[in-house]
Amino acid sequence: MIEIDGSYGEGGGAILRQALGLAAYSGQAIRVKKIRAGRKRAGLAPQHLKAVEAVGALCAGQVRGARLGSQEITFEPGAVRGGSFTFDIGTAGSTTLLLQSLLLPCFGHAGEYEFRLTGGTDVPFSPPADYLSRVTLDALRRVGAAELDVRRRGYYPQGGGRLFARLLGGPGTDAPIEWIEPGEVRAIRGVSHASSLLKDRGVAERQADAADHLLKRLGATEIAVEYSNSAGPGSGITLWTESEDGPRLGGSALGVQGKPADEVGREAARALMSAMDAGAAVDLHLADQLVPFLAVWGGAVRAAKITPHVQSSIYVAERMLGAKFVVEGKLVRVDK
C-alpha cells in the first residue's frame, strides 16, 4: 500500500483527488494521511468525500476512514468499468474538481462513462466548467474523447448546478504529450455568463465588453453572452485562445458581491494576456492538471508558471507510478 502525505506542499484537496485517480488507474492501494492539513478546516469536506465515493464507484473500490473531517483514508481499487453514474455533492462544492479525479481512470481504460453531477459549476478555487470543457479536455483529446454540458449553472454559495459529462476511454494514443512551444493564436473566444436574476443589470454583457476592450488589440475576439436560471445570483467569464498548432490558453474570473462586472471581465482578460505574454504552451492552471497524464504517457510541457499545485501533483505522480519528473525553469518533463 502506497502512503501519500496529504500535507505535502500546499496541502490541499488536490493531493487527495490526484491520488484517487492514479490509484483507480493503476490498481494500486493507497493510504492518504494528513488530508488537507494545509487548510483552515483540515480533513474531508463534502466535495472531497464525494470524490472518494465517485472514484470508488467507478472501480468498485474499498474505502476505510471516509467520513466528514477525516484526515486519513485507505483506498483499495477494483476494476474500472464503464457505466452511468450520478453524484450530488449537496453543497456548492465543485463539480469540475470532482470530474477531474475521474478523468485519468476513464481515459486510461476502454469504455464509455456518463456522469451527472450536482453542485457548483462556477465557484472559487476550482476550474470553471467552460475552462474544463474548452481548455483542459481540448488538451487531452489525444488520450480520450469527452463531451461536457452545463445543464444548469451553480454559483457559490447556493450551488445547485448540474453538469453532464460523457467520456470515452481507450485505446487513445501511445504518443507522449508534448506542449512546449506556444501555438500561433488565431482568435480569442469566450463565454460570459450570469444568473437571470442579474439580467436587468446587464452583468454578462458588461463582463464581455470589458474583456473585449482589453483583448481586441490582440486579434479577433468572440465572447458569447449567456443567462440561466440558477439557484442563486452569480456570474463569471472564461476566455481561451484558438490556435492550429498548440493547446489553448485560458483565463477566467468570477463575479462576487461588490465587484463591478467590468472588473470581472478585465480580470479574466488580464489572466489570459499574462499566459500569452509568458510565451507558455500551457497556462499555469492547465500545467498541474496535465501532470498525471504526463506520468502515464510521458512528454513535456512549458508552463506559464510552476505553481505549488504543479509541485504537489508531481509528488503524487512520482509516488504512485514511479515516474521521474524534471523541472527546468518553466519546463516540466518526464525523464524516461
Side-chain angles (χ1 to χ4, degrees), residues 11-288:
I15 294 176
L16 172 68
R17 288 189 296 270
Q18 300 257 6
L20 289 169
L22 284 162
Y25 165 78
S26 65
Q28 298 182 90
I30 58 171
R31 177 181 290 113
V32 186
K33 296 183 175 182
K34 301 178 184 177
I35 296 171
R36 300 181 68 244
R39 297 296 184 256
K40 184 176 181 180
R41 292 185 178 180
L44 295 173
Q47 72 176 42
H48 310 103
L49 194 60
K50 193 60 64 171
V52 176
E53 178 187 333
V55 178
L58 179 66
C59 66
Q62 300 296 313
V63 184
R64 292 189 297 276
R67 59 185 179 275
L68 286 176
S70 174
Q71 295 188 52
E72 179 176 326
I73 68 163
T74 60
F75 179 70
E76 298 179 36
V80 175
R81 299 189 184 280
S84 182
F85 305 88
T86 300
F87 302 105
D88 184 348
I89 296 174
T91 68
S94 173
T95 56
T96 58
L97 289 179
L98 176 58
L99 187 60
Q100 270 188 6
S101 64
L102 299 163
L103 292 179
L104 179 60
C106 288
F107 285 158
H109 293 85
E112 184 172 332
Y113 311 83
E114 290 187 351
F115 299 98
R116 290 169 177 81
L117 310 177
T118 301
T121 62
D122 299 87
V123 293
F125 310 113
S126 66
D130 297 305
Y131 180 95
L132 189 67
S133 173
R134 304 291 187 167
V135 179
T136 305
L137 294 178
D138 181 75
L140 293 173
R141 63 188 182 275
R142 65 174 59 191
V143 301
E147 170 193 343
L148 195 65
D149 181 28
V150 182
R151 300 281 172 86
R152 188 190 194 196
R153 297 279 179 183
Y155 301 108
Y156 181 83
Q158 288 86 355
R162 294 195 295 269
L163 192 68
F164 171 80
R166 179 180 289 114
L167 308 177
L168 185 63
T173 177
D174 292 329
I177 299 171
E178 292 192 348
W179 301 120
I180 299 175
E181 300 300 328
E184 182 179 352
V185 176
R186 304 292 188 184
I188 296 173
R189 303 281 186 256
V191 176
S192 178
H193 55 86
S195 166
S196 57
L197 299 170
L198 304 176
K199 189 171 184 179
D200 290 346
R201 295 163 55 184
V203 168
E205 289 87 353
R206 287 162 53 201
Q207 291 175 162
D209 290 344
D212 181 71
H213 181 74
L214 289 182
L215 295 171
K216 61 184 179 183
R217 65 179 177 82
L218 301 177
T221 61
E222 182 180 328
I223 304 174
V225 171
E226 170 195 301
Y227 288 95
S228 59
N229 294 320
S230 58
S235 72
I237 178 172
T238 298
L239 307 165
W240 61 89
T241 60
E242 296 280 5
S243 66
E244 296 179 358
D245 52 355
R248 295 167 174 172
L249 301 172
S252 63
L254 294 174
V256 296
Q257 189 173 6
K259 180 190 287 189
D262 312 72
E263 180 55 32
V264 176
R266 287 191 289 268
E267 182 181 326
R270 287 193 291 264
L272 181 61
M273 290 188 296
S274 177
M276 296 171 67
D277 292 343
V282 301
D283 63 63
L284 59 89
H285 299 295
L286 182 60
D288 74 84

